[in-house]
PDB file of all heavy atoms in Angstrom:
ATOM      1  N   LEU A 546     -43.915  -1.987 -36.185  1.00 70.00           N
ATOM      2  CA  LEU A 546     -43.937  -1.148 -37.401  1.00 70.00           C
ATOM      3  C   LEU A 546     -42.538  -1.147 -37.972  1.00 70.00           C
ATOM      4  O   LEU A 546     -41.579  -0.821 -37.259  1.00 70.00           O
ATOM      5  CB  LEU A 546     -44.375   0.255 -37.069  1.00 70.00           C
ATOM      6  CG  LEU A 546     -45.764   0.393 -36.385  1.00 70.00           C
ATOM      7  CD1 LEU A 546     -46.062   1.846 -36.057  1.00 70.00           C
ATOM      8  CD2 LEU A 546     -46.842  -0.174 -37.300  1.00 70.00           C
ATOM      9  N   ILE A 547     -42.421  -1.479 -39.234  1.00 68.00           N
ATOM     10  CA  ILE A 547     -41.092  -1.610 -39.860  1.00 68.00           C
ATOM     11  C   ILE A 547     -41.010  -0.676 -41.056  1.00 68.00           C
ATOM     12  O   ILE A 547     -41.899  -0.702 -41.927  1.00 68.00           O
ATOM     13  CB  ILE A 547     -40.854  -3.069 -40.282  1.00 68.00           C
ATOM     14  CG1 ILE A 547     -40.943  -3.987 -39.070  1.00 68.00           C
ATOM     15  CG2 ILE A 547     -39.487  -3.204 -40.974  1.00 68.00           C
ATOM     16  CD1 ILE A 547     -41.073  -5.445 -39.424  1.00 68.00           C
ATOM     17  N   GLY A 548     -39.972   0.112 -41.109  1.00 68.00           N
ATOM     18  CA  GLY A 548     -39.794   1.026 -42.240  1.00 68.00           C
ATOM     19  C   GLY A 548     -39.237   2.359 -41.799  1.00 68.00           C
ATOM     20  O   GLY A 548     -38.623   2.461 -40.727  1.00 68.00           O
ATOM     21  N   TYR A 549     -39.476   3.401 -42.574  1.00 65.00           N
ATOM     22  CA  TYR A 549     -38.979   4.726 -42.274  1.00 65.00           C
ATOM     23  C   TYR A 549     -40.154   5.623 -41.861  1.00 65.00           C
ATOM     24  O   TYR A 549     -41.201   5.587 -42.493  1.00 65.00           O
ATOM     25  CB  TYR A 549     -38.289   5.326 -43.516  1.00 65.00           C
ATOM     26  CG  TYR A 549     -37.095   4.540 -43.977  1.00 65.00           C
ATOM     27  CD1 TYR A 549     -37.231   3.521 -44.929  1.00 65.00           C
ATOM     28  CD2 TYR A 549     -35.840   4.814 -43.476  1.00 65.00           C
ATOM     29  CE1 TYR A 549     -36.141   2.789 -45.364  1.00 65.00           C
ATOM     30  CE2 TYR A 549     -34.742   4.086 -43.900  1.00 65.00           C
ATOM     31  CZ  TYR A 549     -34.893   3.091 -44.835  1.00 65.00           C
ATOM     32  OH  TYR A 549     -33.802   2.387 -45.258  1.00 65.00           O
ATOM     33  N   PHE A 550     -39.951   6.417 -40.848  1.00 64.00           N
ATOM     34  CA  PHE A 550     -41.030   7.280 -40.376  1.00 64.00           C
ATOM     35  C   PHE A 550     -40.439   8.564 -39.806  1.00 64.00           C
ATOM     36  O   PHE A 550     -39.228   8.714 -39.693  1.00 64.00           O
ATOM     37  CB  PHE A 550     -41.890   6.552 -39.333  1.00 64.00           C
ATOM     38  CG  PHE A 550     -41.118   6.029 -38.172  1.00 64.00           C
ATOM     39  CD1 PHE A 550     -40.957   6.783 -37.010  1.00 64.00           C
ATOM     40  CD2 PHE A 550     -40.520   4.760 -38.228  1.00 64.00           C
ATOM     41  CE1 PHE A 550     -40.244   6.294 -35.939  1.00 64.00           C
ATOM     42  CE2 PHE A 550     -39.811   4.268 -37.144  1.00 64.00           C
ATOM     43  CZ  PHE A 550     -39.661   5.032 -36.013  1.00 64.00           C
ATOM     44  N   GLY A 551     -41.330   9.498 -39.423  1.00 64.00           N
ATOM     45  CA  GLY A 551     -40.841  10.759 -38.861  1.00 64.00           C
ATOM     46  C   GLY A 551     -40.013  11.551 -39.855  1.00 64.00           C
ATOM     47  O   GLY A 551     -40.415  11.726 -41.028  1.00 64.00           O
ATOM     48  N   ARG A 552     -38.858  12.028 -39.426  1.00 67.00           N
ATOM     49  CA  ARG A 552     -37.992  12.824 -40.312  1.00 67.00           C
ATOM     50  C   ARG A 552     -37.464  12.021 -41.492  1.00 67.00           C
ATOM     51  O   ARG A 552     -37.031  12.585 -42.493  1.00 67.00           O
ATOM     52  CB  ARG A 552     -36.830  13.377 -39.500  1.00 67.00           C
ATOM     53  CG  ARG A 552     -37.243  14.380 -38.419  1.00 67.00           C
ATOM     54  CD  ARG A 552     -36.025  14.888 -37.680  1.00 67.00           C
ATOM     55  NE  ARG A 552     -36.412  15.839 -36.639  1.00 67.00           N
ATOM     56  CZ  ARG A 552     -35.524  16.419 -35.808  1.00 67.00           C
ATOM     57  NH1 ARG A 552     -34.236  16.137 -35.896  1.00 67.00           N
ATOM     58  NH2 ARG A 552     -35.951  17.282 -34.894  1.00 67.00           N
ATOM     59  N   CYS A 553     -37.468  10.706 -41.353  1.00 69.00           N
ATOM     60  CA  CYS A 553     -36.924   9.862 -42.401  1.00 69.00           C
ATOM     61  C   CYS A 553     -38.013   9.305 -43.332  1.00 69.00           C
ATOM     62  O   CYS A 553     -37.758   8.454 -44.165  1.00 69.00           O
ATOM     63  CB  CYS A 553     -36.159   8.683 -41.787  1.00 69.00           C
ATOM     64  SG  CYS A 553     -34.724   9.165 -40.799  1.00 69.00           S
ATOM     65  N   ALA A 554     -39.248   9.823 -43.160  1.00 67.00           N
ATOM     66  CA  ALA A 554     -40.374   9.275 -43.928  1.00 67.00           C
ATOM     67  C   ALA A 554     -40.176   9.412 -45.435  1.00 67.00           C
ATOM     68  O   ALA A 554     -40.687   8.598 -46.207  1.00 67.00           O
ATOM     69  CB  ALA A 554     -41.664   9.959 -43.517  1.00 67.00           C
ATOM     70  N   LYS A 555     -39.439  10.425 -45.839  1.00 70.00           N
ATOM     71  CA  LYS A 555     -39.233  10.644 -47.277  1.00 70.00           C
ATOM     72  C   LYS A 555     -38.414   9.518 -47.906  1.00 70.00           C
ATOM     73  O   LYS A 555     -38.390   9.334 -49.122  1.00 70.00           O
ATOM     74  CB  LYS A 555     -38.539  11.969 -47.529  1.00 70.00           C
ATOM     75  CG  LYS A 555     -37.145  12.097 -46.913  1.00 70.00           C
ATOM     76  CD  LYS A 555     -36.569  13.483 -47.196  1.00 70.00           C
ATOM     77  CE  LYS A 555     -35.178  13.622 -46.552  1.00 70.00           C
ATOM     78  NZ  LYS A 555     -34.599  14.948 -46.815  1.00 70.00           N
ATOM     79  N   HIS A 556     -37.720   8.736 -47.064  1.00 70.00           N
ATOM     80  CA  HIS A 556     -36.936   7.629 -47.578  1.00 70.00           C
ATOM     81  C   HIS A 556     -37.739   6.335 -47.675  1.00 70.00           C
ATOM     82  O   HIS A 556     -37.217   5.282 -48.014  1.00 70.00           O
ATOM     83  CB  HIS A 556     -35.723   7.365 -46.674  1.00 70.00           C
ATOM     84  CG  HIS A 556     -34.789   8.544 -46.581  1.00 70.00           C
ATOM     85  ND1 HIS A 556     -34.119   9.063 -47.642  1.00 70.00           N
ATOM     86  CD2 HIS A 556     -34.469   9.317 -45.514  1.00 70.00           C
ATOM     87  CE1 HIS A 556     -33.375  10.079 -47.258  1.00 70.00           C
ATOM     88  NE2 HIS A 556     -33.578  10.259 -45.970  1.00 70.00           N
ATOM     89  N   SER A 557     -39.028   6.423 -47.348  1.00 68.00           N
ATOM     90  CA  SER A 557     -39.891   5.220 -47.333  1.00 68.00           C
ATOM     91  C   SER A 557     -39.862   4.524 -48.690  1.00 68.00           C
ATOM     92  O   SER A 557     -39.892   5.180 -49.740  1.00 68.00           O
ATOM     93  CB  SER A 557     -41.310   5.616 -46.969  1.00 68.00           C
ATOM     94  OG  SER A 557     -42.151   4.471 -46.936  1.00 68.00           O
ATOM     95  N   MET A 558     -39.802   3.228 -48.645  1.00 68.00           N
ATOM     96  CA  MET A 558     -39.815   2.411 -49.847  1.00 68.00           C
ATOM     97  C   MET A 558     -40.465   1.071 -49.568  1.00 68.00           C
ATOM     98  O   MET A 558     -40.523   0.653 -48.410  1.00 68.00           O
ATOM     99  CB  MET A 558     -38.360   2.194 -50.335  1.00 68.00           C
ATOM    100  CG  MET A 558     -37.524   1.354 -49.373  1.00 68.00           C
ATOM    101  SD  MET A 558     -35.805   1.171 -49.902  1.00 68.00           S
ATOM    102  CE  MET A 558     -35.225   2.854 -49.613  1.00 68.00           C
ATOM    103  N   PRO A 559     -40.983   0.418 -50.575  1.00 67.00           N
ATOM    104  CA  PRO A 559     -41.597  -0.890 -50.368  1.00 67.00           C
ATOM    105  C   PRO A 559     -40.527  -1.886 -49.864  1.00 67.00           C
ATOM    106  O   PRO A 559     -39.458  -2.039 -50.456  1.00 67.00           O
ATOM    107  CB  PRO A 559     -42.073  -1.302 -51.743  1.00 67.00           C
ATOM    108  CG  PRO A 559     -42.203  -0.005 -52.500  1.00 67.00           C
ATOM    109  CD  PRO A 559     -41.128   0.864 -51.983  1.00 67.00           C
ATOM    110  N   LEU A 560     -40.812  -2.524 -48.730  1.00 65.00           N
ATOM    111  CA  LEU A 560     -39.867  -3.470 -48.154  1.00 65.00           C
ATOM    112  C   LEU A 560     -40.246  -4.911 -48.428  1.00 65.00           C
ATOM    113  O   LEU A 560     -39.492  -5.834 -48.149  1.00 65.00           O
ATOM    114  CB  LEU A 560     -39.761  -3.256 -46.637  1.00 65.00           C
ATOM    115  CG  LEU A 560     -39.194  -1.881 -46.214  1.00 65.00           C
ATOM    116  CD1 LEU A 560     -39.234  -1.755 -44.685  1.00 65.00           C
ATOM    117  CD2 LEU A 560     -37.779  -1.709 -46.710  1.00 65.00           C
ATOM    118  N   GLY A 561     -41.467  -5.099 -48.956  1.00 67.00           N
ATOM    119  CA  GLY A 561     -41.880  -6.476 -49.243  1.00 67.00           C
ATOM    120  C   GLY A 561     -42.268  -7.211 -47.969  1.00 67.00           C
ATOM    121  O   GLY A 561     -42.327  -6.637 -46.890  1.00 67.00           O
ATOM    122  N   PRO A 562     -42.502  -8.498 -48.066  1.00 68.00           N
ATOM    123  CA  PRO A 562     -42.894  -9.290 -46.892  1.00 68.00           C
ATOM    124  C   PRO A 562     -41.799  -9.241 -45.809  1.00 68.00           C
ATOM    125  O   PRO A 562     -40.609  -9.291 -46.122  1.00 68.00           O
ATOM    126  CB  PRO A 562     -43.046 -10.696 -47.440  1.00 68.00           C
ATOM    127  CG  PRO A 562     -43.241 -10.532 -48.913  1.00 68.00           C
ATOM    128  CD  PRO A 562     -42.452  -9.313 -49.285  1.00 68.00           C
ATOM    129  N   TRP A 563     -42.214  -9.165 -44.574  1.00 69.00           N
ATOM    130  CA  TRP A 563     -41.268  -9.136 -43.466  1.00 69.00           C
ATOM    131  C   TRP A 563     -41.420 -10.394 -42.600  1.00 69.00           C
ATOM    132  O   TRP A 563     -40.456 -11.014 -42.207  1.00 69.00           O
ATOM    133  CB  TRP A 563     -41.469  -7.898 -42.632  1.00 69.00           C
ATOM    134  CG  TRP A 563     -40.380  -7.654 -41.633  1.00 69.00           C
ATOM    135  CD1 TRP A 563     -40.379  -7.941 -40.321  1.00 69.00           C
ATOM    136  CD2 TRP A 563     -39.110  -7.042 -41.906  1.00 69.00           C
ATOM    137  NE1 TRP A 563     -39.185  -7.576 -39.746  1.00 69.00           N
ATOM    138  CE2 TRP A 563     -38.389  -7.020 -40.674  1.00 69.00           C
ATOM    139  CE3 TRP A 563     -38.499  -6.519 -43.051  1.00 69.00           C
ATOM    140  CZ2 TRP A 563     -37.117  -6.504 -40.595  1.00 69.00           C
ATOM    141  CZ3 TRP A 563     -37.237  -5.997 -42.926  1.00 69.00           C
ATOM    142  CH2 TRP A 563     -36.566  -5.978 -41.722  1.00 69.00           C
ATOM    143  N   MET A 564     -42.646 -10.734 -42.314  1.00 69.00           N
ATOM    144  CA  MET A 564     -42.913 -11.882 -41.437  1.00 69.00           C
ATOM    145  C   MET A 564     -42.878 -13.213 -42.165  1.00 69.00           C
ATOM    146  O   MET A 564     -42.677 -14.240 -41.568  1.00 69.00           O
ATOM    147  CB  MET A 564     -44.288 -11.715 -40.769  1.00 69.00           C
ATOM    148  CG  MET A 564     -44.360 -10.579 -39.789  1.00 69.00           C
ATOM    149  SD  MET A 564     -43.354 -10.859 -38.360  1.00 69.00           S
ATOM    150  CE  MET A 564     -44.127 -12.291 -37.653  1.00 69.00           C
ATOM    151  N   ARG A 565     -43.081 -13.206 -43.460  1.00 75.00           N
ATOM    152  CA  ARG A 565     -43.221 -14.451 -44.202  1.00 75.00           C
ATOM    153  C   ARG A 565     -41.941 -14.825 -44.943  1.00 75.00           C
ATOM    154  O   ARG A 565     -41.969 -15.584 -45.899  1.00 75.00           O
ATOM    155  CB  ARG A 565     -44.349 -14.334 -45.195  1.00 75.00           C
ATOM    156  CG  ARG A 565     -45.686 -13.937 -44.578  1.00 75.00           C
ATOM    157  CD  ARG A 565     -46.205 -15.002 -43.605  1.00 75.00           C
ATOM    158  NE  ARG A 565     -47.505 -14.624 -43.053  1.00 75.00           N
ATOM    159  CZ  ARG A 565     -48.157 -15.326 -42.178  1.00 75.00           C
ATOM    160  NH1 ARG A 565     -47.653 -16.463 -41.756  1.00 75.00           N
ATOM    161  NH2 ARG A 565     -49.315 -14.923 -41.694  1.00 75.00           N
ATOM    162  N   ARG A 566     -40.817 -14.310 -44.506  1.00 87.00           N
ATOM    163  CA  ARG A 566     -39.575 -14.637 -45.185  1.00 87.00           C
ATOM    164  C   ARG A 566     -39.024 -15.978 -44.722  1.00 87.00           C
ATOM    165  O   ARG A 566     -39.302 -16.429 -43.610  1.00 87.00           O
ATOM    166  CB  ARG A 566     -38.518 -13.570 -44.893  1.00 87.00           C
ATOM    167  CG  ARG A 566     -38.850 -12.205 -45.494  1.00 87.00           C
ATOM    168  CD  ARG A 566     -37.801 -11.173 -45.086  1.00 87.00           C
ATOM    169  NE  ARG A 566     -37.872 -10.912 -43.666  1.00 87.00           N
ATOM    170  CZ  ARG A 566     -36.882 -10.335 -42.950  1.00 87.00           C
ATOM    171  NH1 ARG A 566     -35.768 -10.016 -43.559  1.00 87.00           N
ATOM    172  NH2 ARG A 566     -37.022 -10.121 -41.670  1.00 87.00           N
ATOM    173  N   THR A 567     -38.255 -16.613 -45.573  1.00 91.00           N
ATOM    174  CA  THR A 567     -37.582 -17.849 -45.208  1.00 91.00           C
ATOM    175  C   THR A 567     -36.120 -17.751 -45.578  1.00 91.00           C
ATOM    176  O   THR A 567     -35.721 -16.950 -46.432  1.00 91.00           O
ATOM    177  CB  THR A 567     -38.197 -19.064 -45.950  1.00 91.00           C
ATOM    178  OG1 THR A 567     -38.108 -18.872 -47.349  1.00 91.00           O
ATOM    179  CG2 THR A 567     -39.650 -19.275 -45.518  1.00 91.00           C
ATOM    180  N   ALA A 568     -35.316 -18.540 -44.899  1.00 94.00           N
ATOM    181  CA  ALA A 568     -33.875 -18.568 -45.162  1.00 94.00           C
ATOM    182  C   ALA A 568     -33.391 -20.003 -45.049  1.00 94.00           C
ATOM    183  O   ALA A 568     -33.980 -20.818 -44.299  1.00 94.00           O
ATOM    184  CB  ALA A 568     -33.129 -17.667 -44.189  1.00 94.00           C
ATOM    185  N   ARG A 569     -32.326 -20.322 -45.779  1.00 94.00           N
ATOM    186  CA  ARG A 569     -31.710 -21.628 -45.671  1.00 94.00           C
ATOM    187  C   ARG A 569     -30.220 -21.437 -45.345  1.00 94.00           C
ATOM    188  O   ARG A 569     -29.544 -20.663 -45.984  1.00 94.00           O
ATOM    189  CB  ARG A 569     -31.823 -22.415 -46.982  1.00 94.00           C
ATOM    190  CG  ARG A 569     -33.209 -22.849 -47.362  1.00 94.00           C
ATOM    191  CD  ARG A 569     -33.836 -23.841 -46.410  1.00 94.00           C
ATOM    192  NE  ARG A 569     -33.126 -25.080 -46.264  1.00 94.00           N
ATOM    193  CZ  ARG A 569     -33.361 -26.156 -46.991  1.00 94.00           C
ATOM    194  NH1 ARG A 569     -34.290 -26.133 -47.931  1.00 94.00           N
ATOM    195  NH2 ARG A 569     -32.682 -27.271 -46.788  1.00 94.00           N
ATOM    196  N   GLN A 570     -29.760 -22.143 -44.306  1.00 95.00           N
ATOM    197  CA  GLN A 570     -28.353 -22.141 -43.942  1.00 95.00           C
ATOM    198  C   GLN A 570     -27.965 -23.607 -43.728  1.00 95.00           C
ATOM    199  O   GLN A 570     -27.833 -24.079 -42.600  1.00 95.00           O
ATOM    200  CB  GLN A 570     -28.095 -21.302 -42.674  1.00 95.00           C
ATOM    201  CG  GLN A 570     -28.096 -19.814 -42.877  1.00 95.00           C
ATOM    202  CD  GLN A 570     -26.864 -19.329 -43.617  1.00 95.00           C
ATOM    203  OE1 GLN A 570     -26.138 -20.098 -44.236  1.00 95.00           O
ATOM    204  NE2 GLN A 570     -26.610 -18.040 -43.551  1.00 95.00           N
ATOM    205  N   ILE A 571     -27.765 -24.322 -44.835  1.00 92.00           N
ATOM    206  CA  ILE A 571     -27.551 -25.768 -44.780  1.00 92.00           C
ATOM    207  C   ILE A 571     -26.246 -26.142 -44.093  1.00 92.00           C
ATOM    208  O   ILE A 571     -26.076 -27.304 -43.678  1.00 92.00           O
ATOM    209  CB  ILE A 571     -27.631 -26.391 -46.168  1.00 92.00           C
ATOM    210  CG1 ILE A 571     -26.600 -25.770 -47.105  1.00 92.00           C
ATOM    211  CG2 ILE A 571     -29.040 -26.234 -46.746  1.00 92.00           C
ATOM    212  CD1 ILE A 571     -26.530 -26.441 -48.485  1.00 92.00           C
ATOM    213  N   TRP A 572     -25.316 -25.208 -43.959  1.00 91.00           N
ATOM    214  CA  TRP A 572     -24.066 -25.526 -43.260  1.00 91.00           C
ATOM    215  C   TRP A 572     -24.253 -25.670 -41.759  1.00 91.00           C
ATOM    216  O   TRP A 572     -23.461 -26.306 -41.089  1.00 91.00           O
ATOM    217  CB  TRP A 572     -23.010 -24.463 -43.554  1.00 91.00           C
ATOM    218  CG  TRP A 572     -22.298 -24.667 -44.850  1.00 91.00           C
ATOM    219  CD1 TRP A 572     -22.723 -24.289 -46.084  1.00 91.00           C
ATOM    220  CD2 TRP A 572     -21.042 -25.333 -45.039  1.00 91.00           C
ATOM    221  NE1 TRP A 572     -21.805 -24.669 -47.032  1.00 91.00           N
ATOM    222  CE2 TRP A 572     -20.764 -25.318 -46.424  1.00 91.00           C
ATOM    223  CE3 TRP A 572     -20.134 -25.926 -44.181  1.00 91.00           C
ATOM    224  CZ2 TRP A 572     -19.602 -25.890 -46.958  1.00 91.00           C
ATOM    225  CZ3 TRP A 572     -18.988 -26.498 -44.711  1.00 91.00           C
ATOM    226  CH2 TRP A 572     -18.721 -26.454 -46.083  1.00 91.00           C
ATOM    227  N   VAL A 573     -25.338 -25.082 -41.245  1.00 94.00           N
ATOM    228  CA  VAL A 573     -25.549 -25.151 -39.798  1.00 94.00           C
ATOM    229  C   VAL A 573     -26.889 -25.802 -39.428  1.00 94.00           C
ATOM    230  O   VAL A 573     -27.077 -26.238 -38.282  1.00 94.00           O
ATOM    231  CB  VAL A 573     -25.504 -23.748 -39.150  1.00 94.00           C
ATOM    232  CG1 VAL A 573     -24.111 -23.132 -39.374  1.00 94.00           C
ATOM    233  CG2 VAL A 573     -26.564 -22.816 -39.694  1.00 94.00           C
ATOM    234  N   HIS A 574     -27.844 -25.902 -40.393  1.00 95.00           N
ATOM    235  CA  HIS A 574     -29.126 -26.516 -40.058  1.00 95.00           C
ATOM    236  C   HIS A 574     -29.787 -27.018 -41.335  1.00 95.00           C
ATOM    237  O   HIS A 574     -29.787 -26.317 -42.355  1.00 95.00           O
ATOM    238  CB  HIS A 574     -30.041 -25.503 -39.352  1.00 95.00           C
ATOM    239  CG  HIS A 574     -31.212 -26.159 -38.671  1.00 95.00           C
ATOM    240  ND1 HIS A 574     -31.093 -26.906 -37.518  1.00 95.00           N
ATOM    241  CD2 HIS A 574     -32.525 -26.176 -39.009  1.00 95.00           C
ATOM    242  CE1 HIS A 574     -32.283 -27.346 -37.161  1.00 95.00           C
ATOM    243  NE2 HIS A 574     -33.161 -26.913 -38.044  1.00 95.00           N
ATOM    244  N   PRO A 575     -30.376 -28.209 -41.330  1.00 94.00           N
ATOM    245  CA  PRO A 575     -30.900 -28.792 -42.546  1.00 94.00           C
ATOM    246  C   PRO A 575     -32.260 -28.252 -42.994  1.00 94.00           C
ATOM    247  O   PRO A 575     -32.614 -28.390 -44.156  1.00 94.00           O
ATOM    248  CB  PRO A 575     -31.007 -30.288 -42.206  1.00 94.00           C
ATOM    249  CG  PRO A 575     -31.235 -30.312 -40.730  1.00 94.00           C
ATOM    250  CD  PRO A 575     -30.435 -29.162 -40.198  1.00 94.00           C
ATOM    251  N   ASN A 576     -33.031 -27.663 -42.069  1.00 95.00           N
ATOM    252  CA  ASN A 576     -34.413 -27.276 -42.396  1.00 95.00           C
ATOM    253  C   ASN A 576     -34.506 -25.788 -42.741  1.00 95.00           C
ATOM    254  O   ASN A 576     -33.702 -24.979 -42.318  1.00 95.00           O
ATOM    255  CB  ASN A 576     -35.329 -27.578 -41.212  1.00 95.00           C
ATOM    256  CG  ASN A 576     -35.373 -29.045 -40.851  1.00 95.00           C
ATOM    257  OD1 ASN A 576     -35.161 -29.899 -41.718  1.00 95.00           O
ATOM    258  ND2 ASN A 576     -35.624 -29.349 -39.602  1.00 95.00           N
TER     259      ASN A 576
END
Side-chain angles (χ1 to χ4, degrees):
L546 303 178
I547 301 165
Y549 299 91
F550 55 92
R552 295 180 180 178
C553 299
K555 62 182 180 180
H556 300 297
S557 180
M558 66 183 71
L560 297 176
W563 192 262
M564 292 293 296
R565 305 295 182 182
R566 293 177 293 162
T567 58
R569 293 295 300 268
Q570 283 287 16
I571 58 175
W572 277 83
V573 299
H574 196 71
N576 299 332

